[in-house]
Structure formats: C-alpha cells, structure tokens
Amino acid sequence: MNHDSLARGVPHATPGAIVARALTGRLHVDPVEGRTVRFGRNRPNVDLCVGETDLRVSRQHGLLTRRDGHWWVANTGQSPIRLPGTRWLFRDEEAVPLANGYTPLFVRGSRDREHLLELYVADGTAKQLVPQHESVIQPPTRWRLTPDERLLLVALGQRYLLHEANPQPVSRQQVAEVMAELRPDANWSVKRVEHMVAEVRARLSAGGVPGLLREEVGEPVGNTLNDNLLRELMLSTSLVPPDLALLDPLS
C-alpha cells in the first residue's frame, strides 16, 4: 500500500475524478454522473474501509456521490464526520459539495479517536509536491498592529493567550478598565474599545480574513466576530503568549 498522503497531490488523475485514501487502502473513481463510493467499517460491503476495529464507526458511515458535476459527501452513520474549518456533518444532513483539491475527513470513533479519510478531487492542474528540506520557510502573514491596538487585543484575548479551554473574549468594560489603567493619558471608554476592535476587524477582513463582518456570520452575533478575530491573530502569530507581559504592570 502507498502510504503517501494525498495532500502531496495527485498529478495524473483525470480532471473531475476523486481519489480516496484511508489506512486500509486507496481508490480512484472517474467522474461518472451518479457514481457512488461507500465508506465505513464493514470491509466486505463498502468501497473503502474506515475504522474497521472501532465499533463507534458505522458499517456504512458515509457516501461520496457524483452529481451535477461535483462530488458530494453525505453522512449515513451514527457519529458525526469532521470537515475542515471545524465543520461537523451529521447523519441525514444535506450532502456537502467537495472543492477541487485536497479535503481530509475525520470519522468520529471511540475514546476520542478519529479515523482519517483523505479525499482529492482532481482539476487537471495538480502537480506532485516535492520535499522542501532546505528551502527558506514561508512564515505566516503577521498583521501590523499599533502599540495601542496590540495592548487592547492582548487584554481582550488574554484567555486565548493563556491557552484556556474554550476561551472567550474579555468583556469590553474590563478591557476599557485595563486600558485606562495602563494608558491613563487617554479616555478609554467602552465605545472607544469597540471602535478600535472594529477597525482591526475591518482591516483584516479587507485583507482576506473571513468571518469578521456581521453580515458574514448572521444573527445572533454574540462573541463570534471577536472570537474569529482573536483566533486569526493567534494562528498568524500576530499575537503570541509572551505578549501577556504587556499586562504585567497590573500585577
């Protein structure tokens, strides 16, 4: 069996074909309208076996179907399937279309196990990725922040920087109080805090970051916009745990 991940690309696949790979094997299916691929625990009765030793995985856990020029994934099992972007697909929900290129699926199993199913929809442009052992690293895009913005966002996102489980942004009132104590030469009202955070969200949104505008997330908004902002700042290393030292004067 080839243990190479499909994330490296599938350079010779027919455009529109889907290549699927699990621990137990790999298959290639041409883009024939109405074609289906079954995956699950019951090796004799599915096209690709996933989680064959795990009783939390259904015997037929999902389907890949070619329809309307796309491949679609549907969950027919008891436990959810995790898609990229923290999206979950549950049984009997509408099938989800797969984008061209690489998509990993994670089938939920027992005792926090997840079983990987790699998918690759060919578009005719894929090239085999090669190792880049000696190449210069491409660092993440770090967003420019003014000193006041950085301090305010550290105060807002301190629970994220502390790696708390299920963190939430600090309240705007608390942030205003922190700013007033650390920057007493300015009037730090709740309104000013809101305005500065909104300016940063707008700037990052204009730079291509999704989920930072009210119209993108729908109602009720709650903390979603600021949660998305803080996660982007963390993932891009624009904010890092050592930034918590900015709050040390409060100790």
Side-chain angles (χ1 to χ4, degrees):
M1 174 185 153
N2 183 0
H3 289 274
D4 247 1
S5 169
L6 299 186
R8 293 182 178 274
V10 184
H12 305 301
T14 305
I18 191 168
V19 181
R21 176 187 174 278
L23 188 63
T24 57
R26 169 175 169 149
L27 57 81
H28 176 292
V29 182
D30 286 330
V32 177
E33 190 73 6
R35 186 73 184 270
T36 62
V37 176
R38 301 163 299 164
F39 61 90
R41 173 168 48 88
N42 190 358
R43 187 192 287 259
N45 292 316
V46 294
D47 301 294
L48 192 60
C49 184
V50 178
E52 64 180 335
T53 64
D54 193 333
L55 291 175
R56 286 292 179 89
V57 178
S58 296
R59 285 170 288 185
Q60 180 182 295
H61 205 100
L63 286 174
L64 304 171
T65 305
R66 182 71 179 182
R67 172 166 49 87
D68 300 327
H70 296 279
W71 286 98
W72 301 73
V73 57
N75 186 349
T76 59
Q78 295 290 331
S79 58
I81 297 172
R82 182 165 64 87
L83 285 72
T86 68
R87 179 173 183 177
W88 292 90
L89 180 62
F90 291 85
R91 183 174 186 169
D92 297 330
E93 283 191 321
E94 291 291 328
V96 174
L98 295 171
N100 287 338
Y102 179 71
T103 302
L105 304 181
F106 299 89
V107 179
R108 186 75 171 171
S110 59
R111 295 188 297 276
D112 295 325
R113 294 172 66 191
E114 288 189 321
H115 304 275
L116 174 63
L117 174 61
E118 293 186 291
L119 304 175
Y120 195 99
V121 178
D123 63 1
T125 63
K127 296 180 180 179
Q128 183 72 31
L129 301 180
V130 298
Q132 302 287 334
H133 300 151
E134 300 298 328
S135 299
V136 176
I137 189 172
Q138 295 181 352
T141 300
R142 296 187 180 95
W143 301 99
R144 290 177 180 271
L145 301 170
T146 68
D148 279 350
E149 287 173 343
R150 181 173 301 279
L151 177 59
L152 186 150
L153 291 164
V154 168
L156 181 73
Q158 56 191 280
R159 293 168 181 157
Y160 297 76
L161 294 166
L162 288 166
H163 298 295
E164 291 186 5
N166 305 312
Q168 288 294 310
V170 169
S171 75
R172 294 164 295 181
Q173 181 62 47
Q174 288 176 283
V175 173
E177 292 170 1
V178 168
M179 295 300 292
E181 187 165 349
L182 296 178
R183 295 283 195 272
D185 54 332
N187 178 25
W188 288 100
S189 64
V190 170
K191 276 286 190 200
R192 186 174 182 188
V193 168
E194 290 176 346
H195 181 70
M196 185 172 286
V197 173
E199 281 188 340
V200 176
R201 287 202 310 262
R203 192 163 72 238
L204 270 60
S205 178
V209 179
L212 300 182
L213 302 178
R214 182 177 292 269
E215 54 267 28
E216 293 179 289
V217 303
E219 300 291 345
V221 173
N223 281 330
T224 302
L225 298 179
N226 287 341
D227 179 72
N228 290 343
L229 170 65
L230 291 166
R231 292 184 187 280
E232 167 61 23
L233 292 172
M234 291 277 290
L235 289 172
S236 65
T237 67
S238 303
L239 291 183
V240 291
D243 287 331
L244 287 165
L246 294 172
L247 304 180
D248 282 353
L250 297 173
S251 307

